[in-house]
Amino acid sequence: MDRFDLVKESFEKKAVAAEMPQGKPSDYFGELVFDRNKMHRYLDANTLAALLDCIDNGKALDRKTADGVARGIKEWALEHHVTHVTHWFQPLTDTTAEKHDSLIEYDRKGGVIESFDGRSLAQQEPDASSFPNGGIRATFEARGYTAWDPTSPVFIQDDTLCIPTIFISYTGEALDYKTPLKRSIKAVSDAALPICRLFDPSASKVLVYLGWEQEYFLVDEALYAARPDLMITGRTLMGHSSSKNQQLDDHYFGSIPSRVAEFMRDLELAGHRLGIPIKTRHNEVAPNQFELAPIYGEANLANDQNLMVMNLMTKIARKHGFVVLFHEKPFDGVNGSGKHNNWSLGTDSGTQLLAPGKSPMGNLQFITFFVNVLAAVQRHNALLKASIASATNAHRLGANEAPPAIVSAFLGKTMTDVLRKLLTVPSDTAIEIAGKKGTSLELVEIPEIFVDNTDRNRTSPFAFTGNRFEFRAVGSSANCAGALTTLNAAVAEQLLDFKEKLDMELAAGKALNIAVMDTLKPLIASVIDVICFDGNGYTEEWRHEAERRGLDTETSVPEMIKVFSRPESVAMFKRTGVFTESELNARNEVKWETYSKKVQIESRVLVRMAINHIIPAAVSYKSLLLKELAANKEVFGNLDGCATELALVQKVNAYVEKIDDLAREMKEARKRANAIESEYEKAVAYHGIAESFNGIRQPIDKLEEIVDNRLWPLPKYRELLFIS
């Protein structure tokens, strides 16, 4: 069966949709989540009060309360025919993990009963040495623990009760993404709250919000199975561009193909049942690229929901004859996929800290947090870039609509003008919303229609979009928590420093508004011409300008990761309580090791496909050409009129020899890299190998253009990208 038969078979395959509920989304939204409505229904009053106090105020749960919660969850779960339970956690693999245990226990009468208690709810023990740990756990030190996170609701997946948990070692170090994310959220709240209470004494907690936008590709599962590179690495390591790809801009926001729409519908229904407020769906710029996004939510829960959605997408896509690709750059020459993290802060009293207020003091509070976020990003711009650096995201950054590998902040003309004016006016000048002016004779105005009064800059990694910052550089396959943890910690540190300096101004007897502005002005002067950049981030001029400004322009992923080990990075994470030094060192080891392994796998696949797929196809084509030349000479006694065939033979020979030589060189380079003991130095060596991939790819892609299409062994871009 050739690839054209595979395409035909896949198109004829009918998608088997999951059995879904009928009615309005509000009728079944959250039915598979043990949310607050379920808590009120299944828990007794004392247990409910204790659990809500834990969720809302961080109070610890005792064993009696945990047993009461477990009883209620068990009753609810059995009504949904649940047979197993798992602690659902987020190891350092950018995926989720789960170990399923049956609910049955012996009943001491020769049979079994369904059993689930507080201990089963609160803790399990997976093998900590089998997950990436950076040396924290050795093979003979296997013990690690998962512990229930009550702030993220328990949910049902198929026949399994899933309990969101943190994952820590026997000695207490974080081995996951959730633990440091939760620490960083607390750090932001602890640092921001004293500042908020100067403006609003009723505030008792600061919340971090996340709105993620998930981009992805869909490819036909039959064609996917015929591409070893896609199956093993998630991207195409070879392949000539299609005559038509995205140059006509006709896919973006276009009519969603019916087959894809069916997948999206089933995905939304499944997400809504799990309490995930999926709201937006559309075609993205590249062919067969799409995007979905939910309503904003609290960051810890929103991050869990993103991972839940990714799992759902993988399963549901198969039911529709698709495979979903989360790789940041699966196809050369077309847009890659990111996961834009829309990040903001708010208080439990309802104030959005990154949106203009309703009074001069409210606007001063907004400017306070706005400027401090910019100061944090400037201070740790290299670290923020390191937080999104990976072997896969490196292919996307700086390409097409992805931001460059330089972290800057886009403000737009309006906010840039506001900041510049604040530097020139007295510190007691009121900051007003236009059309709602107070009594000050000289106002700093923020236009009333605020969300739309700035353009958008797709080349900016960190853009202000009206009431939030959009961290656009996060990769499609990444766990959002990696970037959020670093951003939260950096902002928390900056707010701590700001409060110390503000207290000194207040101690000098200054009024609050004057003290705040006197503390902010040096920060504004620092950020406005350094981290703030509204121009085209793709130009070489910007790279030189960024270097002049002191921004990090490193493009090597292993070197980016090293920033986590800088003294200022270690000090920041330790001060905010987000990471210990040993946890940081371990994570660096994991990141370098992961980078090396991913490039190693890609290198192996590239070489083996070159040798086993491409060269044999090229030799077969050359054999046909030589037979044609021999026949021509036998019939006509010469090779007159065979210039094309002769030229093709020479081209094929040259490309095959080049591929073979480069493949051998890459194998030797791999051997040298594998002999290096230091994970950092090995990653640097593999970075060099990754840089040589295009050397092999170039002659392969040239051969694809000239080898008989019937002999080419791989589905081509024109088939992979235009099947829906």
Side-chain angles (χ1 to χ4, degrees):
M1 180 181 292
D2 64 21
R3 62 183 184 276
F4 301 108
D5 293 322
L6 291 174
V7 175
K8 181 180 178 183
E9 179 185 85
S10 184
F11 268 114
E12 292 175 348
K13 177 177 179 178
K14 292 184 178 180
V16 181
E19 185 178 343
M20 292 293 178
Q22 302 297 316
K24 306 185 300 294
S26 57
D27 293 337
Y28 52 82
F29 187 84
E31 68 179 13
L32 297 180
V33 180
F34 196 75
D35 53 20
R36 292 187 183 236
N37 288 333
K38 313 292 193 318
M39 294 174 191
H40 281 84
R41 178 178 171 187
Y42 289 93
L43 303 182
D44 63 75
N46 290 334
T47 301
L48 174 64
L51 179 58
L52 293 180
D53 197 18
C54 170
I55 294 172
D56 295 334
N57 304 314
K59 186 175 180 180
L61 288 179
D62 57 27
R63 177 60 187 271
K64 180 180 178 182
T65 301
D67 283 338
V69 175
R71 282 193 298 272
I73 291 176
K74 173 187 167 185
E75 180 185 354
W76 169 71
L78 291 178
E79 291 176 3
H80 288 274
H81 311 293
V82 163
T83 59
H84 288 72
V85 61
T86 184
H87 275 201
W88 183 83
F89 59 103
Q90 303 168 29
L92 301 177
T93 56
D94 280 329
T95 58
T96 58
E98 50 197 64
K99 174 174 73 76
H100 296 201
D101 288 326
S102 171
L103 292 176
I104 63 171
E105 295 286 351
Y106 281 121
D107 65 357
R108 298 186 180 181
K109 299 177 183 178
V112 296
I113 58 172
E114 286 74 23
S115 174
F116 182 62
D117 59 16
R119 178 176 175 81
S120 300
L121 171 65
Q123 182 176 305
Q124 278 188 354
E125 186 183 335
D127 187 344
S129 66
S130 295
F131 290 99
N133 60 70
I136 286 178
R137 297 272 83 191
T139 302
F140 62 89
E141 297 171 320
R143 199 179 296 277
Y145 299 107
T146 51
W148 174 36
D149 173 15
T151 63
S152 187
V154 171
F155 61 95
I156 294 172
Q157 185 173 265
D158 300 323
D159 62 355
T160 303
L161 182 69
C162 299
I163 303 167
T165 62
I166 63 170
F167 181 36
I168 59 174
S169 74
Y170 179 71
T171 47
E173 294 97 344
L175 296 175
D176 66 342
Y177 282 98
K178 180 183 274 284
T179 302
L181 175 61
K182 289 178 69 65
R183 291 173 183 169
S184 73
I185 291 170
K186 182 179 185 302
V188 169
S189 183
D190 290 347
L193 186 58
I195 300 171
C196 291
R197 289 179 65 84
L198 295 173
F199 297 93
D200 177 12
S202 68
S204 61
K205 183 192 296 186
V206 171
L207 305 172
V208 180
Y209 293 101
L210 168 65
W212 46 265
E213 303 169 28
Q214 179 71 60
E215 295 177 337
Y216 61 97
F217 281 85
L218 290 175
V219 296
D220 189 277
E221 64 177 341
L223 297 177
Y224 171 85
R227 291 280 316 213
D229 49 356
L230 271 182
M231 291 182 66
I232 298 174
T233 74
R235 75 176 178 118
T236 55
L237 298 172
M238 56 192 67
H240 199 281
S241 60
S242 172
S243 301
K244 175 184 182 294
N245 45 58
Q246 67 186 51
Q247 64 265 46
L248 295 178
D249 300 318
D250 55 342
H251 191 260
Y252 190 51
F253 279 19
S255 177
I256 299 173
S258 58
R259 188 175 164 207
V260 175
E262 290 174 3
F263 157 75
M264 290 177 168
R265 181 201 63 213
D266 288 351
L267 174 62
E268 288 177 358
L269 288 169
H272 291 164
R273 295 183 77 194
L274 287 168
I276 304 170
I278 300 173
K279 186 171 180 68
T280 300
R281 65 189 189 193
H282 63 83
N283 290 3
E284 255 299 333
V285 173
N288 271 25
Q289 186 189 33
F290 308 94
E291 180 179 301
L292 66 89
I295 300 171
Y296 283 48
E298 185 276 323
N300 179 49
L301 176 57
N303 187 61
D304 284 358
Q305 290 178 338
N306 176 248
L307 296 169
M308 292 161 65
V309 164
M310 292 173 74
N311 288 336
L312 284 175
M313 292 170 73
T314 299
K315 293 179 180 179
I316 294 173
R318 290 285 189 173
K319 294 178 180 179
H320 290 267
F322 288 122
V323 172
V324 62
L325 302 180
F326 293 117
H327 193 288
E328 282 74 12
K329 192 73 171 175
F331 302 102
D332 187 44
V334 298
N335 278 17
S337 296
K339 179 148 48 190
H340 304 164
N341 280 208
N342 294 277
W343 176 90
S344 63
L345 301 172
T347 68
D348 58 345
S349 58
T351 301
Q352 291 298 313
L353 298 176
L354 292 176
K358 298 180 180 179
S359 66
M361 287 303 288
N363 288 324
L364 183 59
Q365 180 176 241
F366 156 63
I367 290 294
T368 297
F369 283 93
F370 179 79
V371 171
N372 273 284
V373 170
L374 292 174
V377 173
Q378 176 171 310
R379 186 174 181 178
H380 291 292
N381 69 93
L383 187 62
L384 284 169
K385 184 169 69 175
S387 74
I388 54 87
S390 69
T392 53
N393 204 22
H395 298 290
R396 166 181 165 262
L397 295 180
N400 298 83
E401 287 191 336
I406 302 170
V407 172
S408 62
F410 169 80
L411 306 187
K413 184 177 186 303
T414 298
M415 284 309 301
T416 300
D417 290 346
V418 167
L419 293 188
R420 291 196 184 281
K421 188 169 185 179
L422 286 173
L423 288 175
T424 63
V425 298
S427 293
D428 61 350
T429 302
I431 305 172
E432 290 280 6
I433 303 294
K436 299 180 181 179
K437 298 176 182 178
T439 58
S440 174
L441 296 178
E442 185 174 12
L443 301 172
V444 176
E445 293 187 351
I446 304 173
E448 189 170 359
I449 304 174
F450 191 78
V451 173
D452 297 323
N453 68 10
T454 65
D455 202 349
R456 297 182 68 194
N457 188 326
R458 292 185 178 276
T459 71
S460 175
F462 198 79
F464 185 65
T465 55
N467 56 9
R468 63 195 183 275
F469 283 97
E470 184 179 15
F471 197 1
R472 295 179 55 85
V474 182
S476 175
S477 66
N479 186 320
C480 299
L484 286 184
T485 297
T486 301
L487 176 58
N488 290 341
V491 170
E493 178 197 46
Q494 176 60 37
L495 291 174
L496 290 172
D497 286 349
F498 175 81
K499 183 61 166 59
E500 289 179 1
K501 294 174 182 176
L502 176 61
D503 286 345
M504 294 172 63
E505 298 289 341
L506 291 171
K510 295 181 180 179
L512 177 61
N513 61 328
I514 296 175
V516 169
M517 279 309 308
D518 283 351
T519 311
L520 281 177
K521 282 185 175 182
L523 293 178
I524 296 172
S526 174
V527 302
I528 193 68
D529 291 318
V530 178
I531 196 67
C532 301
F533 175 68
D534 290 357
N536 183 355
Y538 288 160
T539 65
E540 187 66 15
E541 290 79 9
W542 165 235
R543 188 180 68 80
H544 292 304
E545 171 64 15
E547 289 178 348
R548 186 192 67 78
R549 295 185 184 192
L551 299 179
D552 189 277
T553 59
E554 180 62 64
T555 57
S556 165
V557 171
E559 296 297 338
M560 292 182 198
I561 294 168
K562 202 174 183 180
V563 174
F564 277 95
S565 299
R566 288 180 181 173
E568 60 268 29
S569 301
V570 175
M572 181 269 287
F573 282 119
K574 289 173 68 176
R575 181 184 180 191
T576 55
V578 174
F579 286 121
T580 65
E581 189 167 1
S582 63
E583 287 173 331
L584 280 173
N585 291 336
R587 280 162 196 263
N588 274 10
E589 292 292 305
V590 170
K591 288 175 180 287
W592 283 320
E593 182 181 13
T594 300
Y595 178 87
S596 296
K597 287 180 176 178
K598 286 192 174 182
V599 177
Q600 180 191 67
I601 290 168
E602 288 190 345
S603 173
R604 286 174 174 171
V605 172
L606 177 59
V607 168
R608 289 172 184 172
M609 289 180 69
I611 301 301
N612 297 331
H613 288 68
I614 305 305
I615 290 180
V619 170
S620 295
Y621 180 54
K622 186 178 78 169
S623 178
L624 288 178
L625 292 173
L626 291 174
K627 289 179 181 178
E628 174 65 22
L629 289 170
N632 198 83
K633 187 171 184 179
E634 182 178 346
V635 173
F636 299 107
N638 56 56
L639 295 179
D640 293 346
C642 296
T644 299
E645 290 89 337
L646 285 168
L648 285 173
V649 169
Q650 291 172 344
K651 285 183 179 180
V652 170
N653 271 339
Y655 291 143
V656 167
E657 288 180 6
K658 186 175 182 180
I659 293 168
D660 188 61
D661 288 343
L662 292 174
R664 293 177 190 278
E665 290 176 13
M666 184 172 288
K667 288 173 71 174
E668 292 303 314
R670 244 188 2 248
K671 289 179 183 178
R672 293 191 295 271
N674 293 339
I676 300 173
E677 292 188 7
S678 163
E679 292 296 348
Y680 162 68
E681 292 177 4
K682 182 182 291 186
V684 170
Y686 266 108
H687 173 71
I689 292 173
E691 294 283 285
S692 69
F693 277 20
N694 280 341
I696 299 180
R697 179 172 187 156
Q698 188 265 344
I700 290 175
D701 290 357
K702 290 292 186 182
L703 281 173
E704 183 183 312
E705 284 194 292
I706 61 177
V707 170
D708 189 329
N709 191 59
R710 293 167 297 181
L711 296 176
W712 196 252
L714 303 172
K716 299 181 178 181
Y717 274 20
R718 67 169 182 261
E719 297 151 2
L720 290 164
L721 290 172
F722 298 96
I723 59 170
S724 296

